């Protein structure tokens, strides 16, 4: 069981704000400013270069990988932190292709987050003209698991609508056709229970600034199945993935196990903030968090549908088919979201017409949901979104 | 002119320590703990997701790129921050190869930092069997600029000995043979004056945790010449390098200019620490810093040679041929370095027998050099290094 009042108290949540965008950037853990400050002063400041050993900076990438591994059902010792999710996509797809050398197609869907498609496209262009990135509708993935596909690359939870793929079933179907799988858990880790080992997943990747609350630019993670890791020869063969980084050999030899997926020097300030965020996850369990998330999302859907008939549900109605977010379509969605944000309810907008709201039981409760819908109803009923200042697009939303 | 007493006062330097390892990890700028804390509390904490615009997080990568650009002679708008140096090596070499499509060889030297060789090797393996990484002695580079070489990839300042390549001359010779150049400035940026534009350099990369004092895991930077940037199609085609990242298009279109070399979400905590460190560089100018660095290095060499005859100079004796570090060889160099560190003089060791000392005029002065040599002389004369505890190798030094 999880005491959600206790976890909520661990976050700094600004006065007058209901934050329904933790699916984009989680809020500040109250203790993080102090732990990062302490790391800077006592470790960087006092230990200087010796902090890599003495303060354990070098070991954080795998220790924290395992802490995240527990939330996503990974075998211990098979998750490592580093880089950004985009880089981890590249690493995973390159390795998966390498393990399936007779095939040339990467299959994905048009609900995938664009950077996954961009990174795969860039990789395939380098590999040669005979490689192909094949992008189909999410519903058509199963029917497109053909014998020429090397790698199935999917994001489990659609970033716009929250629609979930069935990871276990698709992995099984893919593997039956000799296809390697790469699962992006950006909107899964800390949002829904994931069982990588139980699904027999091959590769998985994810970021830590959404539901894991690691802060802006927190590092990504990568999982490689114990079945494959010893066969992986990393395309991004950086020195920290070397068997013996501090021997400074001229030739690359991959490190033991998941260590080989490390590339360069880890971002210790970001890792320290994330560490504090994971302490809060230690107070929670994923099963009760999931049950609570479905409750909150269901409540939000029924209240919005009752009070804001202008909005059309874009997410699956059935909780088990959805991640931890709810999206509605509205033709003036961008302006409406700006108007709602101006009233202190923070969600976000995804083109062309999606208003997206994340539900994060660690710090959002029923009272927040009801208060948010009351504000949305006021904005919609009184067309408060119909002002020029809400229609000017900013670079990032 | 630079007031080095004033810059020294801007750093936190631990009691009883003389820090001669700023070439590996720069010390903590006194103000950084507060600026990072403020960013966490006032921006992440209060603005949440809106910090990407409101607090200018998204723009930091190029704004700070330009601040570093001033230290390395880059044209404004041609340097961007992100990722690690290893990733930036991959990006630069991949792009340089792409611009020289009829050739298959990357030329480097065995004084290059291993991760540069590892990353190039990984890239060339993905590209195909006809690609070759050719590694020669540093002195033999000029003679190996042959017609089959696509890219010359060098680190300007040798990480072990401080020996410098002649960037201007080698770039000119390479370009005369139709070869693209990639310069790694890891031990140059903030250490020696660099004039990328004046050298007609093609690509350059570097890290910011050494002489730029950005902290453990601070992000890297990449420079692409204005001549090339519009022709570069990034191999690591991440969403933040897209022309319009927040349009969420399915197809990748490279962003304007240097923005296309961005990949994923930038590490805002690390960038904030680096920002504060660059404020100190704003108090200095590179020419006087270089003059002072040569003075300090010359003093160190003459004092060590007078007082520690057991040590053999491994760096060029002539200041203009050296970066901002001095190395000595000693058969028990590892143990000797541990013994010296135990006495509060922090340098580092590089296999097989190199004792390395960085001189960083922003916070190291003549008195520090003399005090450090006095301790070294005591350790050497009295063989204080000859203890079992100094001979146990740690993972990172």
């Amino acid at each position: 069981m999880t005491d959600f009042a206790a976890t909520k108290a661990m976050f700094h949540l600004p006065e007058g704000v209901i934050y329904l965008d933790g699916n984009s950037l989680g809020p500040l853990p109250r203790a993080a400013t102090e732990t990062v400050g302490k790391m800077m002063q006592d470790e960087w400041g006092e230990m200087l270069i010796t902090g890599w050993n003495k303060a354990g900076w070098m070991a954080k990438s795998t220790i924290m990988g395992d802490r995240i591994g527990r939330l996503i059902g990974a075998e211990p010792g098979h998750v490592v932190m580093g880089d950004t999710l985009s880089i981890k996509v590249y690493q995973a797809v390159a390795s998966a292709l390498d393990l399936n050398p007779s095939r040339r197609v990467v299959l994905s869907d048009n609900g995938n987050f664009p950077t996954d498609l961009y990174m795969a496209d860039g990789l395939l262009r380098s590999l040669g003209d005979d490689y192909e990135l094949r992008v189909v509708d999410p519903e058509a993935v199963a029917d497109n698991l053909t014998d020429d596909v090397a790698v199935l690359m999917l994001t489990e939870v659609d970033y716009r609508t929250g629609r979930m793929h069935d990871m276990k079933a698709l992995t099984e179907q893919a593997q039956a056709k000799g296809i390697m799988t790469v699962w992006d858990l950006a909107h899964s880790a800390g949002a829904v229970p994931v069982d990588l080992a139980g699904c027999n997943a091959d590769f998985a990747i994810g970021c830590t600034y959404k539901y894991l609350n690691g802060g802006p630019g927190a590092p990504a993670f990568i999982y490689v199945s114990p079945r494959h890791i010893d066969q992986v020869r990393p395309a991004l063969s950086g020195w920290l993935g070397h068997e013996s980084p501090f021997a400074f050999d001229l030739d690359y030899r991959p490190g033991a196990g998941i260590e080989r997926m490390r590339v360069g020097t880890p971002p210790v300030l970001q890792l320290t903030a994330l560490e504090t965020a994971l302490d809060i996850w230690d107070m929670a369990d994923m099963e009760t968090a999931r049950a609570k998330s479905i409750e909150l999302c269901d409540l939000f859907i029924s209240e919005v549908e009752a009070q804001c008939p202008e909005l059309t549900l874009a997410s699956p109605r059935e909780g088990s088919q959805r991640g931890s977010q709810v999206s509605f379509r509205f033709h003036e969605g961008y302006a409406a979201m700006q108007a709602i944000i101006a009233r202190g309810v923070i969600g976000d907008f995804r083109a062309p017409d999606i208003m997206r709201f994340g539900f994060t039981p660690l710090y959002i409760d029923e009272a927040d949901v009801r208060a948010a819908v009351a504000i949305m109803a006021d904005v919609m009923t009184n067309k408060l979104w119909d002002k020029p200042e809400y229609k000017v697009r900013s670079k990032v939303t």
Side-chain angles (χ1 to χ4, degrees), chain A residues 113-344:
Chain A
F113 190 72
T115 206
D116 296 47
L117 302 176
Y118 303 161
M119 293 301 292
D121 178 58
L123 169 66
L124 298 183
R125 276 172 191 269
S126 340
L127 294 179
D129 291 342
D130 49 339
Y131 284 83
E132 182 195 343
L133 175 62
R134 191 174 291 164
V135 181
V136 301
D137 288 336
E139 302 72 26
V141 167
D143 289 340
N144 280 278
L145 296 169
T146 47
D147 285 345
D148 55 345
V149 176
V151 178
L152 173 64
M153 169 186 82
L154 292 175
T155 295
E156 188 192 22
V157 177
D158 185 298
Y159 75 104
R160 292 164 312 180
T161 64
R163 172 201 45 71
M164 284 180 78
H165 276 304
D166 184 337
M167 186 188 296
K168 193 174 170 63
L170 282 172
T171 300
E172 205 176 300
Q173 291 167 49
Q175 289 171 346
K177 296 285 181 100
I179 299 168
M180 302 288 293
T181 56
V182 173
W183 287 100
D184 180 341
L185 305 178
H187 292 268
S188 305
V192 299
V194 178
D195 183 11
L196 289 176
C199 288
N200 205 36
D202 299 298
F203 293 84
I205 52 196
C207 64
T208 61
Y209 46 75
K210 298 178 184 289
Y211 296 93
L212 300 180
N213 312 305
F221 62 84
I222 187 166
Y223 162 85
V224 183
S225 161
R227 293 189 303 287
H228 302 312
I229 187 64
D230 293 336
Q231 281 77 54
V232 167
R233 180 162 179 113
L236 300 175
S237 38
W239 70 310
L240 290 190
H242 191 279
E243 188 186 83
S244 182
F246 293 90
F248 302 102
D249 294 331
L250 293 182
D251 292 319
Y252 181 77
R253 292 188 311 280
I258 196 71
E259 294 266 4
R260 70 185 60 183
M261 303 312 275
R262 298 177 71 155
V263 184
T265 306
V268 182
L269 277 66
Q270 306 278 163
L271 284 168
T272 304
L274 174 59
E275 218 166 14
T276 305
L278 293 179
D279 289 344
I280 307 178
W281 269 110
D282 285 348
M283 301 166 62
D285 74 279
M286 202 58 246
E287 294 301 328
T288 50
R290 172 62 167 164
K292 187 76 180 174
S293 146
I294 291 180
E295 256 179 67
L296 294 172
C297 291
D298 284 349
L299 175 65
F300 183 73
I301 292 172
S302 63
E303 291 295 312
V304 170
E305 291 190 328
Q307 298 182 52
C308 309
E310 303 86 345
L311 306 186
T312 310
L313 183 66
S315 299
R317 190 170 295 279
E318 168 58 39
S320 65
Q321 317 254 312
R322 220 170 40 211
S324 200
Q325 64 178 78
V326 172
S327 300
F328 281 91
R329 291 187 194 280
F330 179 56
H331 60 95
E332 284 282 2
Y334 183 84
M337 185 54 82
Q338 300 314 305
I340 291 167
I341 290 172
R343 296 282 299 274

Side-chain angles (χ1 to χ4, degrees), chain A residues 10-12 27-40 213-215 269-280:
Chain A
M10 304 299 284
F11 289 96
H12 173 81
L28 174 68
R30 274 186 199 283
T33 311
E34 195 185 323
T35 51
V36 171
K38 222 170 136 55
M39 175 263 140
M40 292 177 69
N213 312 305
L269 277 66
Q270 306 278 163
L271 284 168
T272 304
L274 174 59
E275 218 166 14
T276 305
L278 293 179
D279 289 344
I280 307 178

